[in-house]
Amino acid sequence: GGLMYQKDFNEGLAHLTANEYLVLAGTFHGVHAITSKISPVRNSTSSGLEVLEADSFKLYCFQTLTGTKFLILADPTHANIDLVLRRTYDVYSDYVMKNPFYTPEMPIRSELFDINIVKLIKQLPAC
């Protein structure tokens, strides 16, 4: 798994380096692949890890039918992050996938995508 796009929305938090974000994305991709194969329920299929909860954050994952994963690290008190992920996918579909100059699985360099993702995040209620 590669990292196609990354953006920090909370100015006050410590930031990871570009390499640390790549390691995080690659590690999550591996864990997600493993968790999609295991289930304690017999004859069950799993979509893989969807939410990872910690004391100070929650990591949410939404995987599309094409296998693209959207991850959001959020404050544990934020609600409806699954809806935010689906709306992020809508923005991705509209401004990245419909762009004839975009090559799939390459880094996203789209001003319209950036603008609309920021707009989406700003609509979220503050915790």
Side-chain angles (χ1 to χ4, degrees):
L3 181 62
M4 298 179 350
Y5 184 83
Q6 180 279 317
K7 186 159 185 77
D8 293 318
F9 295 99
N10 191 329
E11 305 294 323
L13 300 177
H15 298 284
L16 300 177
T17 66
N19 192 45
E20 289 170 327
Y21 280 116
L22 288 170
V23 170
L24 176 64
T27 301
F28 185 84
H29 178 73
V31 170
H32 189 272
I34 291 168
T35 59
S36 68
K37 303 270 187 257
I38 60 174
S39 174
V41 179
R42 207 178 287 252
N43 299 323
S44 168
T45 58
S46 172
S47 61
L49 181 64
E50 293 180 2
V51 178
L52 175 68
E53 295 186 39
D55 291 339
S56 59
F57 71 90
K58 284 187 182 179
L59 184 143
Y60 296 84
C61 176
F62 171 68
Q63 179 171 274
T64 68
L65 293 175
T66 61
T68 300
K69 293 176 193 73
F70 292 88
L71 304 176
I72 291 182
L73 283 168
D75 185 291
T77 60
H78 270 294
N80 301 319
I81 297 296
D82 54 333
L83 178 61
V84 174
L85 283 166
R86 292 182 193 284
R87 290 178 59 198
T88 300
Y89 178 55
D90 292 341
V91 172
Y92 170 77
S93 298
D94 287 343
Y95 298 102
V96 176
M97 294 310 296
K98 292 178 183 176
N99 178 348
F101 302 107
Y102 177 71
T103 303
E105 299 183 22
M106 293 303 293
I108 297 170
R109 309 266 189 255
S110 168
E111 187 176 342
L112 286 174
F113 179 73
D114 282 334
I115 290 168
N116 284 283
I117 286 296
V118 169
K119 190 185 304 182
L120 171 65
I121 297 301
K122 284 185 177 181
Q123 293 173 355
L124 296 176
C127 286

